[in-house]
Amino acid sequence: MTELETILLRQIAATGPLSVAEYMQTCLMHPVHGYYTTRAPLGDAGDFITAPEISQMFGEMLGLALAQAWIDQGRPARFCLGELGPGRGTLMADALRATRAVPGFREAAELHLVEVSPALREEQAARLGDAAPTWHDSAEDLPDLPLFLIANEFLDALPVRQFLRDGPGWHERLIGESDGALAFGLSDAAPLALLEDRLDDTQDGDMVETCAPATALAETLGRRIADRGGVALIVDYGEWLSRGDSLQAVKGHEKVGPLTTPGAADLTAHVAFGALAAAAPCAHAGLTHQGVFLERLGITARAQALARGMSGDRLDAHVAAHRRLTHPDEMGHLFKVLALFPDGAPPPPGVDA
């Protein structure tokens, strides 16, 4: 039993069951025992590896996509180059290196990172210190400038609520106590205005997830882009509509039960991209598979260029990294790209129009 599990059981005994969102928020962000506040989770020594850690090509392609969008929108003289949840700073370091050859881009960019983990901020500072980044706790704190932003595997860690349909009503999935351990349960069924629009595309027994922080974030980003210009590239796993239980926990690169090691495992849920698009008061491109997006941006040509001079194990690893990022059986189809941009502006390169 983790220390956080003891705290959660004590809280449940005092105030009643927790929503899944309350549980996720506590497990990930508890100031003393939270997953993201106590560790650097990325890499072989951590619990999971994201696309930027697989190959430099991922960050390079996204950086060049932002640079092209900046050109298409008239090359604003000052803009916020932003990233939500920058991990170890790898993606942004690769993006900055790739855009050095774009005239004026680096000079106009002001780097702003949204990161709450002290451990990860230290790693970002080590990699990105020359770019003079500014850190923020929230996207709402980003400067009032045109916003060219990347969010890679950020929204999947935002807390979701889960609801199970029962006729015209919904049970909320809750987390309580059973035999001294955390356990799932259900609230009484009741109609919910929040899910009235899902009665037409679900049936009894279907589970639907909602993520208020994600839709609020999309509204914030979309409003900024609509008012000041820019682009947001949101890359994550999920579908257009939420359907089913997608809550999962990962520890040591292996899936574990989401209630087994609170505070010591990463918790995520699939992103419902349609809800983000509906919440953002700006234009959006069609949802694009990551593999298609990267191929349109030229990742294969870049892979071939990098492969020159490689041999043996190094070349094998490089080829495997390209496949992992793009192949439909790996990250190519599981991960999707949603682009937000101003009404009337061209969509950024690589996405479905």
Side-chain angles (χ1 to χ4, degrees):
M1 182 177 292
T2 65
E3 293 186 58
L4 188 56
E5 184 172 0
T6 301
I7 293 171
L8 289 167
L9 287 168
R10 191 180 302 126
Q11 179 181 343
I12 290 166
T15 61
L18 304 171
S19 69
V20 172
E22 291 169 328
Y23 175 75
M24 285 186 69
Q25 179 69 19
T26 303
C27 288
L28 297 177
M29 302 308 301
H30 188 278
V32 178
H33 304 294
Y35 181 77
Y36 284 119
T37 54
T38 59
R39 70 199 67 213
L42 290 164
D44 292 337
D47 295 310
F48 57 89
I49 296 177
T50 59
E53 306 293 331
I54 294 170
S55 170
Q56 69 185 68
M57 297 183 292
F58 184 80
E60 291 172 347
M61 294 299 103
L62 267 67
L64 291 171
L66 288 188
Q68 184 61 56
W70 173 76
I71 293 170
D72 292 342
Q73 294 187 34
R75 302 174 185 259
R78 289 181 62 219
F79 70 92
C80 172
L81 176 60
E83 187 176 358
L84 308 183
R88 301 198 294 193
T90 305
L91 187 158
M92 187 54 69
D94 293 335
L96 289 171
R97 185 183 60 257
T99 54
R100 281 184 302 198
V102 180
F105 182 81
R106 292 283 302 274
E107 292 76 14
E110 297 181 10
L111 182 58
H112 292 265
L113 308 175
V114 176
E115 179 61 70
V116 297
S117 166
L120 289 175
R121 282 192 181 194
E122 288 185 11
E123 294 205 48
Q124 293 155 20
R127 282 182 173 82
L128 301 170
D130 290 346
T134 300
W135 283 270
H136 306 277
D137 292 331
S138 167
E140 294 182 353
D141 300 328
L142 293 171
D144 188 19
L145 293 169
L147 176 63
F148 291 79
L149 177 135
I150 297 169
N152 178 62
E153 288 199 60
F154 177 80
L155 278 79
D156 60 88
L158 297 181
V160 300
R161 295 172 69 187
Q162 295 184 317
F163 299 92
L164 193 70
R165 182 170 172 185
D166 185 353
W170 301 85
H171 300 276
E172 181 162 12
R173 197 182 194 193
L174 302 174
I175 295 165
E177 179 273 339
S178 178
D179 296 327
L182 297 171
F184 287 114
L186 295 172
S187 72
D188 293 335
L192 287 174
L194 173 69
L195 295 175
E196 191 170 340
D197 63 333
R198 299 304 307 273
L199 293 175
D200 292 335
D201 60 29
T202 58
Q203 57 188 359
D204 281 6
D206 282 350
M207 181 170 283
V208 169
E209 296 171 341
T210 66
C211 186
T215 53
L217 175 62
E219 197 282 331
T220 295
L221 298 178
R223 178 64 59 196
R224 184 72 59 87
I225 290 168
D227 291 346
R228 301 302 302 269
V231 161
L233 296 176
I234 300 170
V235 187
D236 228 309
Y237 53 89
E239 302 294 341
W240 191 252
L241 286 178
S242 163
R243 187 177 288 110
D245 174 16
S246 73
L247 180 67
Q248 66 176 13
V250 174
K251 180 176 172 60
H253 301 273
E254 300 287 341
K255 288 187 178 181
V256 297
L259 303 184
T260 57
T261 55
D266 186 36
L267 290 174
T268 63
H270 285 203
V271 174
F273 289 98
L276 304 181
C282 65
H284 64 85
L287 196 60
T288 309
H289 288 113
Q290 175 178 292
V292 173
F293 174 71
L294 293 174
E295 291 292 0
R296 288 172 177 169
L297 293 176
I299 193 172
T300 294
R302 177 58 173 155
Q304 291 168 343
L306 288 171
R308 297 188 189 110
M310 291 184 182
S311 62
D313 291 346
R314 187 178 175 215
L315 179 59
D316 291 344
H318 176 62
V319 171
H322 175 267
R323 175 186 169 85
R324 187 171 178 186
L325 291 175
T326 61
H327 197 278
D329 291 339
E330 302 209 32
M331 297 176 74
H333 271 200
L334 176 62
F335 283 77
K336 318 291 195 307
V337 183
L338 178 69
L340 306 179
F341 55 96
D343 291 325
V351 298
D352 291 338

